């Protein structure tokens, strides 16, 4: 086996050697098999365990991106985010909050340089109002939930009732 001179053997190496001689590692589950997930995305992927952790925990891979790229991706999705908001005040608040982070990033950039600019709140409110009016004209895009046709008024969620959203 390993013929290391005992005089130069560290305490850790000695403990491992003694456990191996006792047979402490003989009945371990998975013995002789590759690590689960290793090499799944290619022949050598040193980040296989990070990818597995993110999948197990249900975390988006975007959490691992540099702050400048995260901010850029958020700016790219801003129309969809704003479309879910209930009123003009919330749209303006959200755009101003994002603008605050844009300004912070411009003052102290972190990560690779990407094109980032401040947003015009009035422009986003106008687009939000257009999309909302178009949705009202065309009717609901999603089919009515089961049991909605029984004549009972639909119950709003507690969050919407608390903050007066629709």
């Amino acid at each position: 086996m390993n013929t290391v001179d005992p005089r130069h053997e560290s305490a850790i190496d000695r403990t491992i050697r003694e456990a191996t001689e006792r047979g402490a590692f003989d009945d371990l589950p998975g013995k002789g098999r590759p690590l689960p997930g290793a090499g799944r995305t290619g022949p050598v992927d040193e980040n296989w365990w990070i990818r597995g952790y993110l999948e197990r925990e249900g975390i988006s891979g975007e959490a691992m991106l540099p702050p400048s790229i995260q901010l850029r991706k958020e700016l790219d999705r801003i129309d969809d985010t704003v479309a879910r908001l209930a009123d003009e005040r919330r749209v303006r608040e959200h755009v101003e909050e994002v603008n605050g982070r844009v300004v912070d990033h411009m003052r102290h950039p972190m990560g690779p340089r990407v094109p980032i600019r401040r947003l015009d709140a009035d422009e986003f409110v106008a687009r939000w109002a257009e999309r909302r009016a178009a949705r009202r004209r065309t009717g609901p895009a999603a089919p009515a939930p089961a049991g909605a046709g029984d004549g009972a008024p639909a119950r709003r969620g507690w969050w919407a009732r608390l903050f007066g959203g629709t």
Side-chain angles (χ1 to χ4, degrees), residues 33-94:
R33 287 182 275 154
L35 294 172
R40 179 175 40 186
T41 58
V44 177
D45 182 15
E46 66 267 5
N47 294 326
W48 65 268
W49 63 275
I50 294 173
R51 294 180 202 286
Y53 176 77
L54 293 174
E55 287 175 17
R56 277 192 316 276
E57 298 298 321
I59 300 171
S60 168
E62 286 187 23
M64 308 272 304
L65 292 173
S68 61
I69 307 256
Q70 287 180 1
L71 186 57
R72 179 66 208 184
K73 286 178 147 284
E74 183 176 358
L75 291 172
D76 289 342
R77 292 188 304 253
I78 191 82
D79 282 324
D80 296 331
T81 304
V82 165
R84 293 190 301 262
L85 298 176
D87 61 10
E88 180 180 333
R89 179 183 54 84
R90 290 198 180 111
V91 172
R92 286 188 187 279
E93 287 173 355
H94 182 73

Side-chain angles (χ1 to χ4, degrees), residues 121-131:
D122 294 330
E123 174 188 340
F124 277 93
V125 167
R127 279 198 283 193
W128 171 81
E130 276 181 30
R131 289 176 79 178

Side-chain angles (χ1 to χ4, degrees), residues 19-33:
T20 304
E21 289 171 357
R22 283 193 316 267
F25 301 128
D26 290 345
D27 297 330
L28 293 177
K31 179 182 177 189
R33 287 182 275 154

